[in-house]
Amino acid sequence: GGVVEVVTNEVDGLLIDREDAGMLAEQIGRLIADADLRRRLGAAGRRTYETRFHIDRMLDESEAYYRKVAAVGAARAEART
């Protein structure tokens, strides 16, 4: 779980081993030096957020899930009567 499920390396972010300070410094240097990389990753990250994690989508998915659970519960209760 976690970041690797949200970020695709080199697509909408940069994944770095949390124990590798050298790699972190290298990737920060890349971002400092490459404005196009910053823009590309930033735009892709925004698209990922908007398509997968925007509050409206999360609310819609949560509501759909609870409606499904409620329908299953109602069907089971009715079957017992």
Side-chain angles (χ1 to χ4, degrees):
V3 174
V4 295
E5 292 181 3
V6 177
V7 175
T8 302
N9 194 39
E10 300 286 339
V11 174
D12 53 11
L14 299 172
L15 295 175
I16 301 156
D17 183 341
R18 66 178 175 211
E19 308 265 331
D20 192 342
M23 179 182 260
L24 175 60
E26 180 182 315
Q27 298 297 20
I28 291 171
R30 279 182 67 201
L31 290 168
I32 290 169
D34 190 340
D36 288 335
L37 177 63
R38 292 193 307 271
R39 281 196 242 6
R40 182 176 57 80
L41 293 177
R46 178 67 183 215
R47 283 191 303 275
T48 298
Y49 158 75
E50 289 173 349
T51 59
R52 294 179 61 196
F53 303 106
H54 192 274
I55 188 68
D56 292 335
R57 179 173 181 197
M58 302 294 275
L59 289 173
D60 289 346
E61 289 178 2
S62 295
E63 181 181 2
Y65 173 78
Y66 287 119
R67 286 184 186 279
K68 182 178 177 181
V69 169
V72 168
R76 286 183 181 166
E78 189 170 315
R80 286 186 220 142
T81 59

